[in-house]
Amino acid sequence: MITLETRIEDVPKINKRIVPALKRLGIRTIRDLLFHFPARYDNFSNVKPISDVVAGETVTVEGVIKKISTGRTAHKRMALTEAIIEDETGRIKALWFNQPFLERNLKPDTAVRLSGKASLGTSGLFLSGPAHERIGVGNGIHTGGLVPVYPETAGISSRWLRFLVSSFLPLAAKLSDPLPQDMRKNHKLPELHKALRDIHFPDTREETTAARKRFMFEELLLVQLHALKERSRLKQHSAPEIRTHIEAMKGFVGSLPFALTDAQRKAIWEILTDIAKPNPMNRLLEGDVGSGKTVVAAAAAYMTSLAGYQTAVMAPTEILARQHFETFQKVLNAFNLSIGLLTSSEKHASSRPFDIVIGTHALIQKNVLFPKLALIVVDEQHRFGVEQRAALTAKHTVHNKEPAGNKNSKSMIPHFLSMTATPIPRTLALTIYGDLDLSLLDEMPKSRKKIITQIVKPGDRHEAYAFMKKQITAGGQAFVVCPKIDQDANQPQSRIGQQQLIQQEVKAVTQEYEKLSREIFPDLRIAMLHGKLKPKEKKEIMERFQNQELDILVSTSVIEVGVDVPNANIMVIEGAERFGLAQLHQFRGRVGRGELQSYCILFPTQDGMVTRRLRAMARAKNGFELAEYDLQIRGPGSMFGTAQWGISEISAEALRDVKFIQTVRNEAIALAKQDPTLAQHQPLRARLEHLETAAHLE
Ligand code: ADP
Ligand code: MG
């Protein structure tokens, strides 16, 4: 018997050949199939007698096949199938390219319905490549009315998906609805099985809209319930209380070579207030590139060390770990703290435990003892679960004040501060980071100048090079980022795929390096940075660049996150149209940090490739403006990687709607209060657990 949980390869109706294509769409079971939603609908509701059809309209006609035959087109030698359809009022021709099998399905005298666009040819009106369906066979899912069109994927057509979905849709009646009935009533949301029917095969636009709203509501509700659950789980733990030492704090602020921005002051105050409490902090520090997040973290680390505890700082790459290390040393220089750097290439030994240890994620997790860890700072990694925090401390922490053996004592875990430069709009932050409190650095240091961004077409390349030469001669430095190499779609993430990718990147960087150093700028000092270099080599090159012993650094996207070279004032991005807005923005953030006026030069590969994205880059001043453009251009999914938080494209749409998110959020809060374990809402609880395990397995 076929159920919702039956795997697609075990369903006789599903042709084995399309199984891989379905899997590429993430469809593994019949349930997945029903929850694979159309991207749009063809409107074929304009049904007309043949004699009334006019050129240019999209129309549906019903009639009988009088004649059908397949020939070949004159120049491209494609199969061209021609049919004549007749009703009581007249005849019309239909043409299809490359579908010779239609002759078998649509034999003369078959009653058919065709939907498509009518055009005027030399011998009268014809329908070009219309959707077709035999009347009385199947249930009228391909023609007439609103016909679902699914997101494209090679190897499986919307026609196949319509057929499969309509075959198994009756099973949806067995699904229990996770949304409580009163909630559905209050917000006018259709029941699950009706919503499923309406999203695939609607009778009206209103039905699809209501169905979509229902699915968004459900999904956002689940995401927020999950966040609330995490929040309350965290409350089960206690954390070391880090008192704020006001005088010391004043000393720290006074020792900095610059004045803190108001946003930085506020963020520091929010963090210090949090870590003074006996419960673990869970906070996201969000600030555009260059907004000065590191010094905020350093302030918290300083207070932590004064209280006799340790701080661990995790960076995504070795270069960044080293940079954080240097910044921490610089700003905390006067306070006699021991600061350690731990990467695979170096280990600073010390006779006493470090106050602050900086390193990459993996190393800190594996090798280091933290007898008194109280604060974890994570740069650009976003998430860090309660388990991971507990794992870091459980084995080593000895500062639990509760008497030993008391099973009810709350276990101690460190405070947590996550830092990100991704400009996440508040609505989105509330949703996907609902378990985190938010501190926003929405203000740049006063000294920072606006970066001038220019799109340079291939024909004007030489002028751009002349400009670079002038800037560098005047004391500036430039980054050159090579085009992104797209991963082979057939072997995503596989080790071989990764290796090949690195090979290709190295090749691209080497070519660019040779071009620049031999032909364009033979008298400038140029080096390259790529994934094949050893950490030590990378470090040396970065240091030479930082010390202004190099003029130009050619690299892959490894410089993407965080490197601080104040004297660099030109960012050149080759093949700029290949990068997403978020990445372009990160690149641009590498310059504009020092005294010099900075420039960002975007080279599209070809003339025609000046995309809306590139124009948005040239116009937007900061990440938040860019995030707005991004929402307009590509829909919300693109910049913020909503997919990784389990938010589908359809719900990502809802993230533009603050009110809607607030509504769902209020419902989630009310529900979590009234029934914290969801014991009285079993279907909802089951959905939540399902999503949590699915997310966990990824
Ligand atoms: P990000 O937020 O991108 O991580 P950083 O913390 O690396 O930014 O800071 C970028 C640079 O700006 C550093 O050199 C830092 O010392 C400097 N900086 C931080 N805060 C200020 C400020 N208020 N005024 C001037 N410069 C600052
Ligand atoms: Mg940073």
Side-chain angles (χ1 to χ4, degrees):
M1 198 186 69
I2 294 186
T3 69
L4 289 164
E5 310 314 326
T6 308
R7 294 180 316 161
I8 52 171
E9 54 265 48
D10 301 333
V11 182
K13 218 176 211 162
I14 298 182
N15 190 323
K16 290 285 167 292
R17 275 179 321 191
I18 65 169
V19 166
L22 287 171
K23 287 196 171 163
R24 271 201 295 281
L25 291 170
I27 299 172
R28 291 190 163 66
T29 63
I30 297 294
R31 176 196 292 270
D32 296 338
L33 181 68
L34 298 186
F35 281 87
H36 181 67
F37 296 155
R40 60 183 184 84
Y41 304 86
D42 276 333
N43 189 349
F44 291 148
S45 45
N46 177 25
V47 185
K48 275 190 167 176
I50 288 174
S51 62
D52 288 359
V53 174
V54 293
E57 70 178 339
T58 297
V59 69
T60 297
V61 298
E62 293 181 355
V64 172
I65 302 273
K66 296 311 284 179
K67 246 183 11 199
I68 185 161
S69 64
T70 300
R72 296 221 157 248
T73 59
H75 20 262
K76 290 200 180 153
R77 312 290 303 154
M78 279 192 290
L80 177 62
T81 304
E82 249 187 83
I84 304 288
I85 296 90
E86 183 184 83
D87 70 3
E88 306 86 71
T89 68
R91 291 179 162 210
I92 193 167
K93 200 195 283 184
L95 295 177
W96 292 276
F97 284 107
N98 283 333
Q99 300 185 53
F101 51 84
L102 285 179
E103 259 192 79
R104 265 177 283 130
N105 291 345
L106 306 176
K107 296 215 168 85
D109 294 331
T110 313
V112 294
R113 184 163 50 232
L114 302 179
S115 294
K117 192 166 175 198
S119 307
L120 194 57
T122 45
S123 55
L125 278 176
F126 69 97
L127 297 171
S128 54
H132 60 92
E133 197 153 33
R134 278 147 66 187
I135 294 174
V137 179
N139 31 15
I141 50 175
H142 305 300
T143 58
L146 293 168
V147 172
V149 181
Y150 294 90
E152 299 260 333
T153 186
I156 187 146
S157 64
S158 281
R159 203 177 164 89
W160 255 114
L161 285 166
R162 285 195 287 269
F163 166 71
L164 292 175
V165 171
S166 69
S167 309
F168 298 111
L169 199 54
L171 291 174
K174 296 219 175 75
L175 283 167
S176 45
D177 195 331
L179 286 183
Q181 197 181 350
D182 44 345
M183 206 184 276
R184 255 178 9 233
K185 283 226 171 89
N186 288 342
H187 300 284
K188 300 197 174 61
L189 305 169
E191 237 180 299
L192 178 57
H193 65 85
K194 173 161 169 43
L196 274 175
R197 193 205 76 101
D198 289 353
I199 205 159
H200 289 290
F201 303 109
D203 293 326
T204 63
R205 287 273 170 200
E206 289 68 39
E207 280 181 352
T208 62
T209 311
R212 271 177 192 268
K213 184 175 160 201
R214 184 230 133 87
F215 288 114
M216 290 178 199
F217 195 103
E218 178 180 330
E219 199 171 300
L220 296 181
L221 183 76
L222 287 163
V223 171
Q224 308 212 18
L225 282 174
H226 174 69
L228 291 168
K229 202 164 132 186
E230 285 298 301
R231 244 179 212 275
S232 74
R233 224 149 64 93
L234 208 54
K235 282 219 189 87
Q236 310 295 307
H237 298 271
S238 55
E241 295 169 45
I242 310 296
R243 298 268 170 69
T244 305
H245 194 309
I246 304 272
E247 283 311 307
M249 203 57 225
K250 280 186 185 157
F252 171 74
V253 173
S255 77
L256 294 171
F258 44 75
L260 291 174
T261 63
D262 288 343
Q264 282 172 316
R265 283 172 195 278
K266 182 161 175 247
I268 290 175
W269 181 77
E270 285 168 344
I271 292 165
L272 296 185
T273 309
D274 267 8
I275 62 178
K277 292 178 188 157
N279 302 106
M281 167 175 80
N282 206 27
R283 189 169 277 280
L284 177 68
L285 177 61
E286 185 190 334
D288 212 341
V289 248
S291 60
K293 295 182 288 293
T294 318
V295 67
V296 173
Y302 178 40
M303 285 303 110
T304 303
S305 73
L306 283 187
Y309 287 100
Q310 293 176 292
T311 299
V313 182
M314 304 193 199
T317 65
E318 296 209 353
I319 288 183
L320 279 173
R322 158 155 290 276
Q323 190 188 304
H324 279 314
F325 175 67
E326 281 159 10
T327 310
F328 270 77
Q329 274 192 324
K330 201 168 68 192
V331 296
L332 293 170
N333 181 37
F335 306 101
N336 190 31
L337 304 187
S338 66
I339 305 176
L341 175 66
L342 275 153
T343 66
S344 60
S345 52
E346 54 199 307
K347 286 191 177 63
H348 284 239
S350 165
S351 51
R352 61 176 166 127
F354 290 114
D355 294 308
I356 300 169
V357 179
I358 298 166
T360 46
H361 202 264
L363 269 170
I364 287 189
Q365 279 191 359
K366 280 178 200 142
N367 298 345
V368 193
L369 294 177
F370 291 108
K372 300 203 77 177
L373 184 63
L375 175 63
I376 300 174
V377 179
V378 174
D379 199 14
E380 294 298 348
Q381 303 266 312
H382 307 314
R383 288 273 154 179
F384 209 66
V386 175
E387 298 87 0
Q388 286 165 292
R389 281 200 233 181
L392 258 180
T393 33
K395 272 179 259 156
H396 319 298
T397 346
V398 288
H399 51 65
N400 199 327
K401 289 180 212 133
E402 302 288 325
N406 180 353
K407 282 256 167 62
N408 294 327
S409 74
K410 290 177 167 186
S411 64
M412 282 271 194
I413 63 170
H415 298 287
F416 176 67
L417 179 67
S418 178
M419 307 197 287
T420 181
T422 311
I424 311 154
R426 201 168 259 281
T427 50
L428 189 58
L430 272 177
T431 310
I432 58 185
Y433 300 120
D435 55 332
L436 300 177
D437 294 306
L438 191 64
S439 287
L440 213 55
L441 297 185
D442 51 3
E443 180 187 3
M444 282 289 173
K446 300 267 180 303
S447 56
R448 211 131 288 160
K449 294 196 187 81
K450 186 176 178 282
I451 300 163
I452 296 171
T453 302
Q454 191 89 39
I455 303 168
V456 179
K457 298 198 180 166
D460 303 331
R461 203 170 252 278
H462 285 283
E463 283 169 45
Y465 284 144
F467 175 80
M468 279 172 73
K469 181 79 189 280
K470 214 168 108 197
Q471 286 292 321
I472 292 169
T473 314
Q477 285 172 288
F479 287 106
V480 176
V481 178
C482 293
K484 178 169 158 182
I485 291 167
D486 291 317
Q487 196 149 19
D488 183 351
N490 292 322
Q491 33 177 244
Q493 259 97 57
S494 74
R495 276 204 68 82
I496 297 166
Q498 274 300 341
Q499 285 306 320
Q500 281 176 348
L501 208 63
I502 292 176
Q503 292 286 4
Q504 287 178 29
E505 274 184 353
V506 172
K507 201 172 144 212
V509 172
T510 311
Q511 273 172 3
E512 182 70 22
Y513 166 78
E514 283 174 358
K515 182 182 103 183
L516 292 179
S517 55
R518 287 187 192 156
E519 295 165 30
I520 318 276
F521 304 120
D523 46 353
L524 294 183
R525 299 163 303 173
I526 307 177
M528 56 178 168
L529 204 59
H530 55 66
K532 267 284 161 82
L533 297 175
K534 298 196 181 74
K536 191 160 160 273
E537 296 170 315
K538 283 190 204 169
K539 190 189 109 193
E540 279 167 13
I541 291 169
M542 273 320 293
E543 277 173 2
R544 280 168 60 209
F545 193 59
Q546 268 161 338
N547 297 336
Q548 298 176 41
E549 291 160 26
L550 291 169
D551 300 311
I552 299 176
L553 188 62
V554 183
S555 86
T556 60
S557 52
V558 287
I559 53 141
E560 185 178 346
V561 224
V563 185
D564 197 17
V565 184
N567 193 61
N569 71 326
I570 302 174
M571 169 58 64
V572 177
I573 304 171
E574 292 283 352
E577 80 284 349
R578 295 194 180 196
F579 294 101
L581 271 183
Q583 235 178 340
L584 291 172
H585 175 61
Q586 288 280 357
F587 292 145
R588 182 166 63 182
R590 299 303 110 227
V591 296
R593 293 177 165 226
E595 302 292 309
L596 299 171
Q597 171 61 51
S598 290
Y599 303 88
C600 177
I601 298 173
L602 305 170
F603 282 129
T605 315
Q606 284 166 27
D607 260 338
M609 291 177 172
V610 179
T611 54
R612 287 177 72 187
R613 232 182 301 158
L614 295 189
R615 283 194 288 270
M617 272 301 289
R619 241 176 290 142
K621 284 189 295 296
N622 57 48
F624 287 93
E625 264 182 46
L626 212 52
E628 288 299 317
Y629 281 118
D630 193 50
L631 282 170
Q632 291 161 20
I633 296 172
R634 287 205 18 218
S638 54
M639 189 150 179
F640 320 111
T642 39
Q644 68 190 101
W645 311 124
I647 295 178
S648 64
E649 278 301 308
I650 137 165
S651 295
E653 224 174 278
L655 299 176
R656 286 181 234 203
D657 188 346
V658 190
K659 248 185 160 166
F660 184 71
I661 288 184
Q662 272 305 347
T663 307
V664 183
R665 191 170 160 77
N666 291 342
E667 287 289 1
I669 291 169
L671 195 62
K673 208 170 189 178
Q674 176 233 326
D675 182 14
T677 59
L678 296 178
Q680 293 143 48
H681 296 87
Q682 284 303 332
L684 190 59
R685 182 180 160 146
R687 262 321 272 149
L688 187 58
E689 278 166 5
H690 178 80
L691 289 182
E692 284 167 349
T693 35
H696 208 82
L697 293 177
E698 266 163 21

